[in-house]
Amino acid sequence: MPDTLTITDNRTGKLYEIPITDGAIRATDLRQIKVTKEDQGLGTYDPAFMNTASCRSRITYIDGDKGILEYRGYPIEQLAEQSTYLETAYLIIFGQLPTEGQLREWTKQITLHTMLHENIKKLMEGFQYDAHPMSVFLSTVGAFSTFYADAKKIFDEESRKKQIHRLIAKVPTIAAYAYRHSIGRPYNYPDNDLSFTGNFLNMLFRMTELKYQVSPVLERALDVLFILHADHEQNCSTNAMRGIGSSHVDPYSAMAGAAAALFGPLHGGANEAVLRMLAEIGTVQNVPGFIKRVKAGEGRLMGFGHRVYKSYDPRAKIIKQTADQVFEVTGKNPLLDIALELERIALEDEYFVTRRLYPNVDFYSGLIYQAMGFPVTMFPVLFAIPRTSGWIAQWEEMLLDPEQKIARPRQVYIGATRRDYIPLSKRT
Ligand code: CMC
């Protein structure tokens, strides 16, 4: 059987044979289907990209029905158990797990690039005391393009590598400064003796002590959360990164846009929304009433449902285990019982079962972050730190893909047909 699709255009009676590659047809192959010569050709209408692949990618594989997530072929469960965030970031960006020597060099490069230019510090000091840390984060990432003019050389491999080191290394420092700024405390400089997440905790929470004592449980928990958030193929912010990057702008400008997309409550802002929702529910007794209101269309159960996963999000499973380890150190988050009751009822309820709505990555991550001492406004920032590796890998893949061009979708025009301008005095 040939891998083709035969289409009959009932408007003309003509027959077309379209090749199928990797389970997809090329939308441009439909352009030959015309009624008249002047006709632009048949298009596809796909708001929100419900069934359109925008790229061919080798980075992340998801099977939403089976609940599978793999980076470069490695299952997320194995990486979360055996890898570190820095090693996983290397894997995502360079395509292979590093050798010992490569990992040493990569870790050294990242450690050496954690400091921020003092002028960036000054720039951050200019933000209002109550500015949302995610707004500060994305503005500062965008401002990086004013500091690193060499980043414009996007087709120079060495330059790209430099920006990769800078971005992976500096995002935790920006995040920590944004947090310290929001609570009016002095910024802590990076400590090169500590691990990636250990140093991040140091920059966030060190007070007057000379050396910050990192809790190994919290350090590892954060590392696992970072592994889980590192990439998720063509999600809203990655699509923004690729789309903006396709204009050949520098990676900092593109990433500011990606971070802005991540800020939205339907994407990276969801775990913040989950905590607000749990706080609003208040007690376990109020859970059935809340579920009833969701089913009546009065709001959504935040942290539930996913565009791709139509079964339990594999990341949510791992996060639930991590939560138990964290709560042993920090004490149980009082909102946990409400979350567990919500999940229990929702997983049995016909409304959620028939729509295949399961907990996603954000349902439990916020509870962990809150128990670790983060305010809810820091949640999207905590998502952006590890997602930086995914954004960069996808951006580079897009740049080096000879099939990619500037992203420019078509539209189906449904507005007014041509009409003549009416002078203001004659308008009624
Ligand atoms: N609570 C209640 N009903 C829901 C929910 C929810 N969380 N999510 C979807 N539905 C219903 C929706 O009302 C619709 O019902 P009907 O067919 O009767 O109109 C049906 O399920 C399909 O929903 P949809 O909006 O067409 O699904 P989508 O694929 O466009 O949306 C989503 C995916 C994640 C935006 C959505 O499930 C949602 O808003 N969830 C809550 C926000 C959230 O947790 N977001 C984090 C996503 S995971 C993090 C990430 O990877 O970025």
Side-chain angles (χ1 to χ4, degrees), residues 73-236:
Y74 294 100
I76 193 68
E77 294 80 4
Q78 290 182 24
L79 292 168
E81 204 182 316
Q82 298 174 59
S83 184
T84 61
Y85 166 66
L86 268 196
E87 184 185 62
T88 298
Y90 184 100
L91 168 72
I92 288 176
I93 295 168
F94 300 106
Q96 301 294 342
L97 282 170
T99 61
E100 240 175 86
Q102 285 168 331
L103 185 59
R104 209 176 312 117
E105 180 57 23
W106 169 243
T107 307
K108 184 177 132 197
Q109 285 303 329
I110 299 304
T111 310
L112 290 180
H113 283 92
T114 48
M115 297 275 275
L116 298 186
H117 192 294
E118 284 296 292
N119 284 347
I120 294 201
K121 202 171 101 177
K122 285 189 204 141
L123 177 113
M124 293 180 78
E125 278 164 357
F127 289 109
Q128 285 286 73
Y129 73 94
D130 58 352
H132 195 294
M134 190 60 174
S135 307
V136 173
F137 179 87
L138 68 93
S139 313
T140 309
V141 170
F144 267 29
S145 70
T146 66
F147 286 83
Y148 305 116
D150 57 332
K152 287 187 174 57
K153 292 188 267 171
I154 54 169
F155 290 109
D156 174 337
E157 194 180 344
E158 274 314 300
S159 168
R160 274 204 313 275
K161 217 176 215 171
K162 189 97 186 242
Q163 316 320 322
I164 290 173
H165 291 149
R166 283 178 175 148
L167 272 169
I168 300 283
K170 291 184 198 305
V171 284
T173 319
I174 306 175
Y177 281 18
Y179 169 65
R180 300 285 289 200
H181 182 79
S182 72
I183 54 170
R185 288 195 181 144
Y187 305 155
N188 285 326
Y189 284 102
D191 180 343
N192 286 0
D193 294 341
L194 300 175
S195 71
F196 188 80
T197 44
N199 172 51
F200 181 45
L201 290 168
N202 155 70
M203 291 189 293
L204 288 162
F205 299 127
R206 188 166 70 81
M207 296 301 288
T208 52
E209 65 271 34
L210 284 179
K211 192 88 182 164
Y212 181 72
Q213 290 305 314
V214 184
S215 153
V217 175
L218 301 189
E219 183 184 21
R220 179 62 194 157
L222 203 53
D223 215 42
V224 170
L225 284 159
F226 281 3
I227 292 171
L228 300 182
H229 285 88
D231 193 48
H232 213 230
E233 51 118 304
Q234 305 314 310
N235 56 85
C236 178

Side-chain angles (χ1 to χ4, degrees), residues 29 32 34 44 84 89 91 99 133 142 171 178 226 236 245 248 267 281 292 304 342 410 412 422-423:
D29 281 348
Q32 59 183 301
K34 297 179 175 194
T44 53
T84 61
L91 168 72
T99 61
V171 284
F226 281 3
C236 178
H248 292 176
H267 190 8
I281 296 172
K292 210 169 157 190
F304 259 67
L342 270 177
R410 290 181 70 181
V412 178
I422 306 163

Side-chain angles (χ1 to χ4, degrees), residues 322-338:
T322 308
D324 293 335
Q325 292 153 14
V326 168
F327 295 156
E328 266 181 36
V329 175
T330 60
K332 199 173 84 176
N333 188 322
L335 298 176
L336 177 68
D337 289 335
I338 301 173

Side-chain angles (χ1 to χ4, degrees), residues 2-76:
D3 271 355
T4 58
L5 175 74
T6 304
I7 299 174
T8 311
D9 186 348
N10 294 324
R11 299 169 303 177
T12 58
K14 277 196 196 151
L15 225 68
Y16 301 86
E17 197 166 316
I18 312 275
I20 299 174
T21 312
D22 296 330
I25 60 161
R26 281 182 184 265
T28 45
D29 281 348
L30 300 176
R31 295 283 283 272
Q32 59 183 301
I33 304 178
K34 297 179 175 194
V35 175
T36 63
K37 252 200 185 138
E38 301 74 49
D39 187 343
Q40 282 197 352
L42 195 66
T44 53
Y45 174 57
D46 190 8
F49 297 112
M50 294 293 285
N51 192 33
T52 296
S54 63
C55 62
R56 292 159 66 82
S57 181
R58 293 186 159 83
I59 302 170
T60 292
Y61 173 74
I62 300 177
D63 183 327
D65 284 328
K66 296 195 186 120
I68 293 173
L69 169 61
E70 294 166 358
Y71 299 152
R72 302 282 187 181
Y74 294 100
I76 193 68

